[in-house]
Amino acid sequence: TGRFMDLLLARTAAEYGAISVALETLDEQLAFFTGLGENAHLALLRQAVEDREYARDEFEALLRAYLESDLDALQAQAQRQLSQLPESVQREFRVHGIERRNMEMARRAQPLLDRGASLIAVGALHLGGPKGMVALLRARGNRVDAIY
């Protein structure tokens, strides 16, 4: 559509009179990516170039897993893609890019959840796994229903 998801969700929320709140700032998102360092950026770029033939197939598999609500398949595909990178980049991406951000977003979401029903939208890689948003929010005593 040419529209990025965050903007689409915010506009839809506004149409229904709902309040939308960001669980992380753009600066925080960018800080993760800029903080990866040159070696990680080169490894990611190299992987993108080398995998260009498979990019469409990978996207289709990711989309299929998402539409089927298959968090395990999403996690497995992400792991396959990350496994092609140097171990240090994999660890940095997993720990800083997913796990730490998830913990902070879950912490920020809790006061909103304490007020009542809320819709929380995050990228697919933030959903699954023992340190994913679903598990973290459930561990805080929240009822979590996935909506795809």
Side-chain angles (χ1 to χ4, degrees), residues 54-75 77 80-81 124 148:
Y54 307 105
R56 181 91 174 151
D57 293 338
E58 289 287 326
F59 176 77
E60 293 294 331
L62 184 67
L63 182 59
R64 193 170 36 258
Y66 179 79
L67 292 174
E68 293 171 359
S69 303
D70 190 343
L71 292 182
D72 291 335
L74 287 170
Q75 293 294 110
Q77 185 174 5
R80 275 193 308 276
Q81 291 177 338
Y148 297 90

Side-chain angles (χ1 to χ4, degrees), residues 26-146:
L26 181 57
D27 286 342
E28 289 169 329
Q29 290 176 0
L30 292 175
F32 159 67
F33 288 105
T34 58
L36 283 174
E38 185 177 336
N39 289 339
H41 284 272
L42 289 172
L44 289 165
L45 182 58
R46 195 173 298 114
Q47 179 185 19
V49 170
E50 290 171 0
D51 290 351
R52 70 185 177 282
E53 295 175 25
Y54 307 105
R56 181 91 174 151
D57 293 338
E58 289 287 326
F59 176 77
E60 293 294 331
L62 184 67
L63 182 59
R64 193 170 36 258
Y66 179 79
L67 292 174
E68 293 171 359
S69 303
D70 190 343
L71 292 182
D72 291 335
L74 287 170
Q75 293 294 110
Q77 185 174 5
Q79 185 53 44
R80 275 193 308 276
Q81 291 177 338
L82 282 175
S83 70
Q84 299 172 30
L85 298 168
E87 180 60 38
S88 61
V89 176
Q90 291 179 49
R91 187 174 41 260
E92 183 75 15
F93 196 92
R94 186 178 52 256
V95 171
H96 296 289
I98 306 292
E99 295 171 3
R100 286 189 182 171
R101 289 171 64 207
N102 285 353
M103 290 175 18
E104 185 59 21
M105 287 189 290
R107 185 191 67 76
R108 290 176 180 173
Q110 194 58 55
L112 302 169
L113 294 167
D114 289 342
R115 289 191 224 154
S118 299
L119 170 70
I120 297 174
V122 296
L125 289 181
H126 293 282
L127 292 171
K131 295 183 181 179
M133 289 291 290
V134 172
L136 292 174
L137 292 173
R138 284 181 176 155
R140 290 172 170 260
N142 299 290
R143 187 179 120 211
V144 179
D145 298 314

